[in-house]
Amino acid sequence: MTDSNLFSPKPNQIVSTTEASERADSLGTSAESGALRSDSSTSPGGVGRRSPLDLLSSGRNGYPSTELEPVQDEEHLGAALDQALNYELRIMAGNSNRELAAAIARNLKIELMEADVRRFSDGEIYVSIKENIRGKDVFVVQGTSPPVNDNIMELLLMIDTLKRASAKRITAVMPYFGYGRQDRKCAPRVPISARLMADLLEVSGAHRVLAFELHAGQIQGFFRIPVDHMYAVPVFVSYLLENNFDGLVDPVIVSPDAGGMERARAFAKRLNASLAIIDKRRSGPNVAHVMHIIGEVHERDCIIIDDMVDTAGTLTEAAKALKDHGAKKVHAYAVHPVLSGPALDRIRESAIDKVVVTNSIIVSDERKRKSGNKIVQLPVDILFSDCIKRIHREQSVSSLFDQ
């Protein structure tokens, strides 16, 4: 009789689990298989399975044979499981905001992926990954800030490169989502560019998107892949509370238009502050004209909150209207500092006392000086790294913002 026949019951014969386990022990196979053991310490019935941690440390049953450090806590356990399953977290950085990507990687205690993203002499983009990322969970940090089209193409090519290198999951981490303002047909014969952006990301091979403060929340509906949406309100609120409201007394939260009321309301709720809204009517792209203010701002400090500051026309006109209605100090909080065209000059010459933005887009010290040193940038790398860690661990992202 061969050894394998010990586990093959004869006709009309039933072999109990205990008997099978005893036969396995008699053959001395328990050290190699570990599938069935007569071990009263692991199961009340005397039959137990080896725990995942035992398997990780043993290097048997298909797990890597490399020695792993003892598991100290949940973070070490997660890293050990990632290593065992070849599903480790990786961060890849494009050229739009490498500073933010490097900070995210430091928070996650990993190195940025070794990759070469550069341009040929004719302007075409070249992407090459210098390490094996087969089976990895890769997050590509690349916003589509100016130069918008170059950064979009760079992001698409990086995603395609990762797909062809057999990354298990690819997440596009977008600190700034370009073309987000073109989210509907506001006139005849115009494109819905935000929808096209969603299609491009999907076709290139992205499995999901992590976006920061989309211009309109409904942009998530343009995607057929999961989209996690992060908000800047917690960052702004923390800054105000840590700095004693930045010298403002009982501030009024002001939305520069009707579309920003949801953001302003969330901000005001966190601070237990009152609300005001500015009736703004546009006569053309990047042109704003303030009509009147709904809410009480006379002899009050005001905080204007918006999702971005582009040419700064909206912010400066809003600040002027608030001052005309008797407001004292006026601060502006904008998530994305696009700062195109005459934005810096307008901010410098405006009635705004301070403009607080995030580092979703890099603002150089020279540009800050050009604004009259009115611009203050807040880091968001901790927020990004927390969200990335939760996505990698299949945990809730929305719970970070639920208060």
Side-chain angles (χ1 to χ4, degrees):
M1 180 183 295
T2 62
D3 293 343
S4 61
N5 289 333
L6 289 171
F7 292 93
S8 301
K10 296 177 182 179
N12 302 320
Q13 178 184 4
I14 297 176
V15 179
S16 69
T17 306
T18 305
E19 292 176 276
S21 183
E22 290 174 352
R23 293 178 185 179
D25 288 340
S26 67
L27 290 172
T29 58
S30 59
E32 291 297 326
S33 66
L36 288 169
R37 299 181 62 188
S38 178
D39 188 349
S40 59
S41 65
T42 57
S43 174
V47 179
R49 292 185 181 274
R50 303 176 69 191
S51 72
L53 293 182
D54 290 337
L55 293 172
L56 282 173
S57 60
S58 69
R60 298 186 179 94
N61 294 324
Y63 286 86
S65 59
T66 55
E67 291 294 331
L68 299 177
E69 295 181 0
V71 177
Q72 302 293 336
D73 52 31
E74 184 178 350
E75 182 176 347
H76 287 83
L77 172 60
L81 288 171
D82 287 345
Q83 182 181 348
L85 301 174
N86 192 35
Y87 189 57
E88 294 168 292
L89 172 63
R90 291 287 185 269
I91 301 293
M92 184 177 184
N95 290 315
S96 69
N97 199 334
R98 293 189 66 86
E99 181 180 316
L100 176 60
I104 293 171
R106 282 195 301 271
N107 294 336
L108 295 171
K109 300 178 181 178
I110 59 177
E111 298 291 333
L112 285 176
M113 278 177 50
E114 295 183 25
D116 187 10
V117 183
R118 54 187 172 84
R119 280 160 177 73
F120 291 109
S121 58
D122 65 351
E124 291 183 0
I125 299 169
Y126 170 80
V127 179
S128 175
I129 298 173
K130 306 299 184 182
E131 61 181 272
N132 177 26
I133 48 90
R134 184 180 295 270
K136 310 298 185 186
D137 188 14
V138 184
F139 291 78
V140 187
V141 181
Q142 173 78 344
T144 52
S145 52
V148 180
N149 298 326
D150 287 349
N151 285 331
I152 290 173
M153 196 64 195
E154 193 174 288
L155 174 60
L156 298 177
L157 288 175
M158 286 191 293
I159 293 173
D160 184 75
T161 305
L162 292 167
K163 176 180 68 177
R164 298 178 190 279
S166 300
K168 187 169 185 178
R169 184 170 67 175
I170 305 166
T171 302
V173 181
M174 305 185 69
Y176 174 69
F177 187 88
Y179 287 102
R181 285 172 285 184
Q182 301 181 40
D183 58 352
R184 65 191 186 281
K185 288 192 68 172
C186 57
R189 298 172 297 281
V190 296
I192 304 179
S193 305
R195 173 57 194 268
L196 178 59
M197 280 286 295
D199 291 341
L200 289 171
L201 288 168
E202 290 180 28
V203 171
S204 65
H207 296 105
R208 64 188 306 126
V209 172
L210 177 59
F212 183 48
E213 282 286 2
L214 294 169
H215 181 67
Q218 59 265 28
I219 290 175
Q220 298 172 73
F222 292 157
F223 290 87
R224 290 181 292 270
I225 57 177
V227 177
D228 291 299
H229 192 197
M230 297 181 293
Y231 302 93
V233 167
V235 178
F236 289 154
V237 170
S238 296
Y239 171 78
L240 280 170
L241 295 179
E242 290 170 4
N243 291 275
N244 196 24
F245 282 86
D246 218 10
L248 304 179
V249 179
D250 190 22
V252 178
I253 308 304
V254 181
S255 173
D257 52 31
M261 272 302 296
E262 182 179 355
R263 183 179 298 102
R265 187 183 298 114
F267 198 24
K269 182 180 178 181
R270 297 281 188 100
L271 298 173
N272 194 26
S274 56
L275 269 173
I277 181 173
I278 296 177
D279 177 24
K280 179 187 68 178
R281 300 184 184 181
R282 292 187 181 275
S283 57
N286 294 326
V287 178
H289 181 67
V290 175
M291 301 300 291
H292 59 274
I293 296 173
I294 303 170
E296 182 57 50
V297 298
H298 184 69
E299 292 295 318
R300 302 284 298 275
D301 292 336
C302 297
I303 297 177
I304 306 169
I305 184 165
D306 206 352
D307 67 316
M308 71 177 69
V309 49
D310 186 358
T311 60
T314 296
L315 286 184
T316 54
E317 289 290 337
K320 182 178 182 300
L322 291 171
K323 287 287 190 178
D324 290 345
H325 283 73
K328 296 195 293 186
K329 293 181 180 179
V330 178
H331 289 194
Y333 282 64
V335 182
H336 306 296
V338 180
L339 301 174
S340 64
L344 298 175
D345 294 332
R346 285 177 172 175
I347 290 173
R348 185 183 65 250
E349 297 167 2
S350 71
I352 300 175
D353 298 291
K354 179 183 287 188
V355 178
V356 180
V357 297
T358 72
N359 64 340
S360 63
I361 300 174
I362 296 174
V363 181
S364 65
D365 291 337
E366 181 183 354
R367 287 167 66 80
K368 291 178 182 177
R369 287 192 294 270
K370 192 175 180 181
S371 71
N373 291 315
K374 291 184 177 182
I375 296 177
V376 175
Q377 262 192 312
L378 305 182
V380 292
D381 54 279
I382 294 177
L383 176 64
F384 274 75
S385 56
D386 285 347
C387 289
I388 288 172
K389 186 186 297 183
R390 285 170 177 259
I391 292 171
H392 179 64
R393 299 287 179 223
E394 304 296 347
Q395 297 172 341
S396 171
V397 172
S398 60
S399 60
L400 282 174
F401 308 99
D402 292 339
Q403 287 192 11

